[in-house]
Amino acid sequence: MKDYNPYEQMLSVLDLAAKKLGYTLNEYNAVRYPERELKVAVPVEMDDGSLKVFEGYRVQHSSSRGPCKGGIRFHQDVDVDEVKALAAWMTWKCAIVNIPYGGAKGAIQVDPSELSDRELSRLTRRYTAAILPVLGPERDIPAPDVNTDARVMGWMMDTYSMFKGYAVPGVVTGKPIEIGGSLGRNQATGRGVVIVTDEIAFRWGIAMQKAKIAVQGFGKVGGTAARIFYEKGYTVVAVSDVSAGLYNENGLNIDEISAYAEAKGTLKGYAGKGTSEISNEDLLKLDVDILVPAALENQINEKIAPDVKAKIIVEGANGPTTIKADKILKDKGVVIVPDILANAGGVVVSYFEWVQNLQAIFWDVHEVNTMLKKIMIRSVDEVCALAKEKNTCLRVGAYMAALNRVVKAKKIRGVFP
Ligand code: NAD
């Protein structure tokens, strides 16, 4: 049992946003509950002939604005409250960037590093079969999340298609290009994080060319964001993964570190010139301008928050800052760009992928990145304007922007029956 409940945390911000918008509980009560929570047992025959049973989930928070949409996480510590929170955040995220989706999330309680490739494939396929009745391009569309990737999405797409009897690329996004994936999807979340960072830094008068940046998590989100920051000539002074953090006050060579991580599967042991090893906790407390937590939830908590020195926190991960930490940071004047805005680039390009699949026509990467940038900047504009109008922080502003759209959609559709 975790000592904090991410779903309760989500609700506390939601209630605040609803109050600011002047909604009565009646008007938004339905979105305080996920529409559907599915828990499945996933039996897998291991390579040594033994049988292991894993616990899996798929939570659909809302389908008011379109099909449910959200990633699949493989992690040993995942529980249903975490999946519920992640599903709700997807609803808000899709509403902020105004794409026609609701929110969902799925997970299996497993440490995938302990499984062989064949075991991982069997696990993914059996899980997909177990949640198949609630999946579909018009119903619920998974994507990669922590410890899942294009290969896992390929297995999911194949499993679903085998049951249907024909190829259904639109059932998942973030899949390999060869079976209908979109150019630019792999980098989309990290690219979105960079676009949002540039926009917010500009508004708060921070010159990015002079700024120091620290990024926690070197996966699909953090690794990509660090690489794009570096390509733009910005100074990334620290990065980390689960094994170690790396620090160089003059800036890290992210190309070299990426090549090292690619070859070794870890950041630990990298010994570039002028680079020292630091802990993940120390990384969060560095004297930097921009901090991008892009690993897991609950990283910046009330113990860490008093020592955070960053001026701007851009939440690449979902739920990296606890509510208590959020308050401490706000009192210190730290600008926090909330997850549901900062990391929405992934679902935006997932949406492009789905549209391309439905139309069976594909876009070039320039088109994808241009549209992504346009949507992210528009969303930052809207959230900043609303936060300013209602005299509140960006997190509550983002929830207000999202809640507005979801409640309006629900009102128009009415309550069934
Ligand atoms: P990933 O599995 O590709 O990478 C996760 C990274 O975090 C790895 O470098 C891992 O070593 C590191 N990590 C794991 N546990 C850690 C710990 N305890 N301390 C420090 N580092 C740790 O996952 P990802 O897709 O990059 O997702 C990261 C976060 O971003 C998650 O919160 C996820 O929900 C969120 N997110 C992902 C996407 C996406 O498109 N992949 C989109 C939106 C949000």
Side-chain angles (χ1 to χ4, degrees):
M1 187 70 189
K2 291 175 182 152
D3 59 0
Y4 80 112
N5 181 321
Y7 195 73
E8 294 293 329
Q9 300 212 10
M10 186 285 296
L11 283 181
S12 68
V13 188
L14 185 72
D15 289 340
L16 197 62
K19 204 170 155 190
K20 285 245 173 217
L21 287 166
Y23 285 146
T24 62
L25 184 60
N26 253 356
E27 283 175 294
Y28 78 103
N29 204 9
V31 297
R32 298 181 86 256
Y33 300 87
E35 283 176 14
R36 184 180 280 129
E37 291 173 43
L38 178 61
K39 181 173 156 191
V40 293
V42 189
V44 177
E45 199 177 310
M46 308 304 280
D47 292 344
D48 65 4
S50 65
L51 188 93
K52 274 197 184 164
V53 182
F54 299 89
E55 197 163 287
Y57 314 94
R58 185 71 183 170
V59 174
Q60 296 173 337
H61 174 260
S62 171
S63 59
S64 295
R65 302 180 63 255
C68 298
K69 183 85 190 82
I72 304 284
R73 176 174 294 197
F74 289 172
H75 200 278
Q76 59 278 14
D77 299 331
V78 80
D79 63 27
V80 73
D81 282 324
E82 183 176 337
V83 184
K84 276 167 66 181
L86 288 161
W89 286 327
M90 285 306 299
T91 301
W92 311 136
K93 208 174 288 187
C94 294
I96 288 173
V97 292
N98 206 6
I99 56 177
Y101 284 144
K105 205 78 177 193
I108 305 179
Q109 220 175 65
V110 61
D111 179 354
S113 68
E114 292 178 354
L115 268 55
S116 71
D117 281 359
R118 290 169 63 85
E119 288 167 343
L120 206 57
S121 164
R122 287 198 286 271
L123 175 79
T124 305
R125 289 172 183 281
R126 184 60 192 255
Y127 167 73
T128 308
I131 64 168
L132 198 117
V134 302
L135 293 185
E138 307 84 16
R139 188 171 282 160
D140 185 353
I141 308 143
D145 190 70
V146 174
N147 292 332
T148 57
D149 55 14
R151 186 175 64 152
V152 170
M153 291 306 116
W155 291 331
M156 291 192 80
M157 180 270 193
D158 182 62
T159 306
Y160 185 86
S161 301
M162 284 298 110
F163 275 93
K164 285 285 169 189
Y166 51 88
V168 188
V171 70
V172 292
T173 59
K175 54 194 173 290
I177 304 291
E178 294 80 355
I179 55 170
S182 175
L183 294 170
R185 173 60 186 89
N186 277 350
Q187 302 82 27
T189 313
R191 186 173 298 281
V193 165
V194 175
I195 295 167
V196 170
T197 306
D198 278 341
E199 285 298 306
I200 297 291
F202 177 73
R203 282 177 160 78
W204 265 265
I206 290 179
M208 286 303 292
Q209 295 294 343
K210 290 189 192 148
K212 289 187 172 181
I213 307 168
V215 182
Q216 184 197 37
F218 206 68
K220 294 181 289 297
V221 182
T224 306
R227 277 188 287 280
I228 299 175
F229 282 135
Y230 185 70
E231 275 167 24
K232 292 183 75 131
Y234 300 170
T235 307
V236 181
V237 295
V239 295
S240 70
D241 66 5
V242 68
S243 69
L246 303 173
Y247 175 66
N248 183 337
E249 63 173 341
N250 297 315
L252 296 162
N253 182 332
I254 301 294
D255 282 348
E256 209 178 280
I257 292 171
S258 294
Y260 180 90
E262 177 84 27
K264 306 273 183 190
T266 174
L267 294 180
K268 198 158 183 67
Y270 173 81
K273 197 165 165 261
T275 300
S276 51
E277 205 170 296
I278 55 168
S279 69
N280 261 289
E281 196 171 318
D282 288 343
L283 178 144
L284 299 173
K285 297 175 183 172
L286 283 174
D287 190 2
V288 291
D289 300 283
I290 314 277
L291 174 63
V292 182
L296 290 176
E297 296 94 74
N298 196 27
Q299 295 299 301
I300 307 177
N301 51 37
E302 76 261 37
K303 281 187 235 112
I304 304 260
D307 298 320
V308 168
K309 295 175 198 71
K311 296 183 185 74
I312 297 178
I313 296 177
V314 184
E315 294 185 333
N318 287 309
T321 315
T322 65
I323 294 295
K324 281 184 187 162
D326 192 83
K327 183 169 180 338
I328 297 168
L329 294 165
K330 249 188 270 172
D331 290 347
K332 283 170 56 152
V334 180
V335 177
I336 305 175
V337 190
D339 44 10
I340 53 174
L341 171 64
N343 68 34
V347 77
V348 169
V349 178
S350 273
Y351 164 60
F352 297 162
E353 180 173 329
W354 178 74
V355 168
Q356 291 170 77
N357 292 154
L358 297 184
Q359 299 185 336
I361 187 162
F362 287 87
W363 311 355
D364 64 38
V365 73
H366 176 71
E367 236 171 321
V368 169
N369 288 343
T370 306
M371 284 292 288
L372 170 67
K373 190 168 179 183
K374 197 170 148 187
I375 291 179
M376 294 310 292
I377 292 177
R378 181 188 71 199
S379 307
V380 172
D381 280 344
E382 285 177 6
V383 168
C384 286
L386 199 51
K388 195 170 172 200
E389 183 194 320
K390 301 282 182 183
N391 192 24
T392 188
C393 63
L394 295 179
R395 191 184 307 282
V396 176
Y399 271 74
M400 285 194 298
L403 191 60
N404 237 336
R405 287 204 171 106
V406 177
V407 166
K408 270 186 192 148
K410 285 195 92 65
K411 241 184 212 165
I412 292 165
R413 288 182 57 167
V415 182
F416 175 85

